[in-house]
């Protein structure tokens, strides 16, 4: 009996064969026939203003520049779909490295890639398997790039698992808009296609900055983060998650296992291992079972279980919208698609309306109504707990007596310690008056948001 060929060796043979077939010509006869059918003839579903042309395919192949953010479950599907649809100039941004748990659904990665940056491995795979495609990898955070980087793209596609990153990207594209005498310049609009999945549920949306509802306009659509009552965590734990939360919230800051002030890093295996061991010990005290390393990592990083089929459906929807906008051949989604296959199959689309006072896209200072006797802590609580704002660590500054004064800043320990007493002071004691403008910065946006203080007695 002939030896069974190892999967890895078989995979390499297939890749070598594909490269030989491609030779030096990435545009063999008939390669783009499946795309040309949509671009070189009209149909009942094409855009009313669509004019079939061979130049449209050339635009996709040679000119159109796409930015994909995220190389996880959605990102892998998106890259494959876009590359096979004729998009060749693609940039990919992702800050994560490959973990063993990614391999069951993120099909661009192999066991040998564990520990390497997702962006680099995904780019190498696509470039190797799809002749002519040029994916450029960026193993960085989206916050590491300035406006000039984002201005070079025609379309931005997000396959993220972080609401904060989505909001930041939304704010960046809003900051790139230009206005002439109050009228939006259409050439400054960079469409944002956003996809998201949660188990068997998913959504896809099309955002035209300054024209349609943005991420901040519909912030209430995102599910609230799961929290557990502190009294339960500390005294009466019943679930394995309670034990992990106890270690994360109480034991870590108390014991400082990796040095004073070292924050818990959900991507550091040593940190997760420490939390896992302490969580098992606490679970044993209360006869609780089910604490595993994977559960511990999931609770610390707020990981939501991913389903490969859901990723495939949502990525297909997002890639289709990219094709529609890039080619102008079809009317794009307007503007929100929901997908659910928990029980049967259900999809629904609706148009989310823009908010007149949206902090990101309205260009109007938000109004904050407080009594003069309210404390700065009350303002901070509102910024973080309001369903329409949901800030994480806002920094508040104001212009007092002609000078820019930091009222509170949390992210820098020395300034936080110096400004902490202000939290207990009333707005009147701080010298704030009715109509005062407050400038607020937060990790959820690259822009400084302006608020107008309305003091009511």
């Amino acid at each position: 009996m002939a030896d069974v060929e190892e999967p890895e060796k078989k995979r390499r043979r297939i890749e070598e064969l594909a490269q030989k077939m491609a030779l030096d010509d990435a545009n063999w006869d008939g390669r783009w026939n499946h795309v040309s059918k949509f671009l070189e003839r009209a149909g009942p579903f094409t855009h009313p203003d669509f004019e079939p042309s061979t130049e449209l395919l050339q635009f996709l192949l040679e000119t159109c520049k796409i930015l994909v953010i995220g190389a996880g479950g959605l990102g892998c599907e998106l890259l494959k779909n876009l590359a096979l649809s004729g998009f060749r100039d693609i940039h990919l941004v992702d800050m994560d490295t490959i973990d063993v748990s990614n391999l069951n659904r993120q099909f661009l990665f192999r066991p040998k890639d564990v520990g390497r940056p997702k962006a680099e491995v995904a780019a190498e795979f696509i470039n190797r398997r799809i002749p002519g495609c040029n994916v450029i990898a960026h193993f960085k955070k989206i916050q590491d790039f300035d406006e000039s980087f984002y201005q070079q793209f025609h379309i931005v596609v997000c396959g993220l698992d972080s609401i904060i990153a989505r909001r930041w990207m939304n704010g960046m594209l809003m900051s790139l808009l230009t206005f002439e005498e109050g009228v939006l310049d259409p050439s400054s609009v960079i469409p944002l296609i956003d996809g998201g999945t949660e188990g068997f549920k998913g959504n896809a949306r099309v955002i035209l900055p300054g024209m349609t509802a943005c991420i901040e306009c519909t912030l209430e659509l995102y599910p609230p983060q799961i929290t557990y009552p502190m009294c339960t965590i500390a005294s009466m734990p019943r679930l394995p998650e309670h034990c992990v939360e106890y270690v994360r919230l109480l034991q870590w800051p108390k014991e400082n296992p990796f040095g004073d002030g070292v924050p818990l890093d959900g991507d550091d295996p040593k940190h997760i291992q420490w939390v896992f061991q302490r969580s098992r010990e606490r679970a044993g005290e209360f006869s609780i079972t089910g604490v595993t390393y994977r559960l511990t990592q999931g609770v610390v990083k707020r990981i939501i279980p991913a389903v490969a089929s859901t990723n495939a459906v949502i990525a297909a929807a997002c890639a289709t919208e990219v094709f529609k906008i890039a080619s102008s051949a079809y009317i794009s989604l307007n503007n929100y698609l929901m997908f659910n296959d928990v029980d049967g199959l259900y999809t629904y689309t609706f148009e989310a309306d823009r908010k007149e006072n949206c902090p990101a896209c309205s260009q109007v200072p938000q109004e904050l109504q407080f009594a003069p006797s309210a404390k700065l802590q009350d303002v901070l609580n509102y910024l973080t707990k309001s369903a329409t704002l949901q800030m994480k660590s806002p920094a508040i500054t104001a212009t007092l007596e002609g000078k820019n004064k930091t009222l509170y800043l949390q992210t820098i320990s020395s300034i936080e310690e110096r400004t902490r007493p202000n939290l207990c002071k009333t707005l009147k004691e701080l010298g704030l008056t009715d109509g005062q403008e407050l400038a607020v910065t937060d990790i959820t946006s690259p822009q400084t948001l302006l608020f107008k203080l309305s003091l009511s007695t």
Side-chain angles (χ1 to χ4, degrees):
M1 180 181 292
D3 294 337
V4 178
E5 192 170 26
E6 297 179 2
E8 184 64 22
K9 185 183 295 184
K10 185 177 181 180
R11 180 188 64 80
R12 287 199 298 268
R13 285 188 60 202
I14 293 174
E15 290 183 357
E16 291 173 0
L17 181 61
Q19 290 176 350
K20 290 179 180 178
M21 291 176 62
L23 301 175
D24 296 326
D25 185 10
N27 289 319
W28 57 84
D29 289 342
R31 179 181 183 184
W32 301 111
N33 283 352
H34 64 296
V35 179
S36 299
K37 290 177 181 178
F38 294 98
L39 303 179
E40 297 179 7
R41 64 185 184 185
F45 301 107
T46 52
H47 194 286
D49 300 326
F50 173 64
E51 295 183 4
S53 171
T54 57
E55 295 179 359
L56 292 174
L57 177 60
Q58 294 307 309
F59 172 75
L60 298 188
L61 295 175
E62 301 173 5
T63 306
C64 192
K65 203 167 189 177
I66 306 294
L67 173 63
V68 177
I69 302 176
L74 269 178
C76 287
E77 293 279 357
L78 277 168
L79 276 177
K80 176 258 295 179
N81 292 344
L82 292 172
L84 293 175
S85 298
F87 297 97
R88 290 176 160 179
D89 193 350
I90 303 173
H91 285 242
L92 175 64
V93 177
D94 193 288
M95 60 175 284
D96 288 339
T97 55
I98 299 168
D99 185 74
V100 173
S101 63
N102 302 145
L103 302 181
N104 70 329
R105 64 194 182 281
Q106 298 174 21
F107 56 88
L108 300 183
F109 311 139
R110 300 291 181 268
K112 65 181 178 61
D113 300 320
V114 172
R116 291 190 61 199
K118 287 184 178 180
E120 294 180 3
V121 175
E124 290 172 4
F125 193 108
I126 294 294
N127 292 338
R128 183 171 64 247
R129 291 294 295 271
I130 304 180
C133 192
N134 181 32
V135 180
I136 299 176
H138 302 277
F139 178 44
K140 294 182 178 181
K141 298 179 180 179
I142 55 175
Q143 294 87 349
D144 292 338
F145 300 96
D146 58 16
E147 293 183 349
S148 62
F149 173 78
Y150 292 106
Q151 283 176 325
Q152 65 181 306
F153 299 102
H154 291 92
I155 302 173
V156 176
V157 198
C158 288
L160 295 162
D161 58 2
S162 166
I163 296 177
I164 292 178
R166 278 188 178 91
R167 296 174 65 184
W168 191 93
M169 196 65 242
N170 179 79
M172 170 55 72
L173 296 184
M174 292 297 168
S175 70
L176 299 180
L177 298 178
T178 58
F179 296 83
E180 296 180 4
E181 298 181 355
V183 178
L184 176 64
D185 179 5
S187 65
S188 66
V189 176
I190 300 176
L192 171 64
I193 314 298
D194 179 52
T197 63
E198 181 180 338
F200 289 98
K201 302 176 183 178
N203 68 81
R205 62 190 305 181
V206 174
I207 298 171
L208 303 179
M211 301 172 66
T212 64
C214 72
I215 297 288
E216 298 292 332
C217 288
T218 56
L219 200 55
E220 299 94 332
L221 291 175
Y222 293 100
Q225 184 171 290
I226 297 174
T227 58
Y228 303 99
M230 183 59 71
C231 56
T232 300
I233 294 172
S235 58
M236 296 183 294
R238 299 185 300 275
L239 301 173
E241 291 85 351
H242 293 164
C243 300
V244 179
E245 284 289 84
Y246 177 86
V247 176
R248 183 180 76 87
L249 295 173
L250 300 176
Q251 280 191 252
W252 181 279
K254 181 180 179 180
E255 299 185 22
N256 289 313
F258 292 87
D260 291 341
V262 176
L264 174 57
D265 184 356
D267 293 314
D268 190 326
K270 294 180 181 178
H271 289 197
I272 297 298
Q273 184 65 31
W274 187 91
V275 175
F276 168 54
Q277 294 296 340
R278 298 302 180 276
S279 299
R280 287 186 61 183
E281 294 170 4
R282 181 163 178 79
E285 296 175 7
F286 292 88
S287 301
I288 297 173
T289 60
V291 175
T292 64
Y293 182 91
R294 188 168 185 175
L295 173 79
T296 302
Q297 188 178 44
V299 173
V300 171
K301 296 184 65 177
R302 306 298 187 192
I303 294 175
I304 298 172
V307 177
S309 59
T310 308
N311 286 333
V313 171
I314 297 303
C318 291
T320 300
E321 295 307 318
V322 173
F323 182 82
K324 289 179 183 178
I325 293 176
S327 66
S328 299
Y330 299 87
I331 299 175
S332 62
L333 175 69
N334 187 26
N335 50 29
Y336 196 100
L337 165 70
M338 296 172 56
F339 172 82
N340 188 335
D341 64 346
V342 173
D343 185 12
L345 182 63
Y346 174 78
T347 61
Y348 178 69
T349 61
F350 67 91
E351 180 182 359
D353 294 329
R354 290 186 66 188
K355 279 189 175 180
E356 293 183 359
N357 62 341
C358 173
C361 67
S362 68
Q363 308 293 319
V364 176
Q366 306 298 293
E367 188 173 281
L368 293 176
Q369 289 189 345
F370 287 94
S373 58
K375 297 180 179 179
L376 186 63
Q377 181 68 63
D378 298 325
V379 177
L380 192 72
N381 291 341
Y382 175 79
L383 295 175
T384 56
K385 296 180 180 179
S386 168
T388 57
L389 296 174
Q390 298 185 37
M391 295 186 177
K392 302 303 176 184
S393 53
I396 308 173
T397 61
T399 301
L400 298 173
E401 299 178 353
K403 295 182 180 180
N404 193 39
K405 181 179 179 181
T406 300
L407 301 180
Y408 184 69
L409 192 149
Q410 184 177 346
T411 54
I412 301 177
S413 57
S414 59
I415 300 179
E416 194 282 331
E417 184 177 353
R418 177 169 56 83
T419 58
R420 191 185 308 159
N422 289 340
L423 296 176
C424 300
K425 295 181 181 179
T426 66
L427 302 182
K428 185 177 181 180
E429 290 173 341
L430 290 170
L432 300 176
T433 58
D434 187 56
Q436 179 92 46
E437 280 197 350
L438 299 180
V440 180
T441 58
D442 189 60
I443 59 173
T444 57
S445 175
Q447 303 182 78
T448 297
L449 303 180
L450 293 180
F451 293 84
K452 189 175 183 180
L453 194 59
S454 177
L455 300 180
S456 57
T457 55

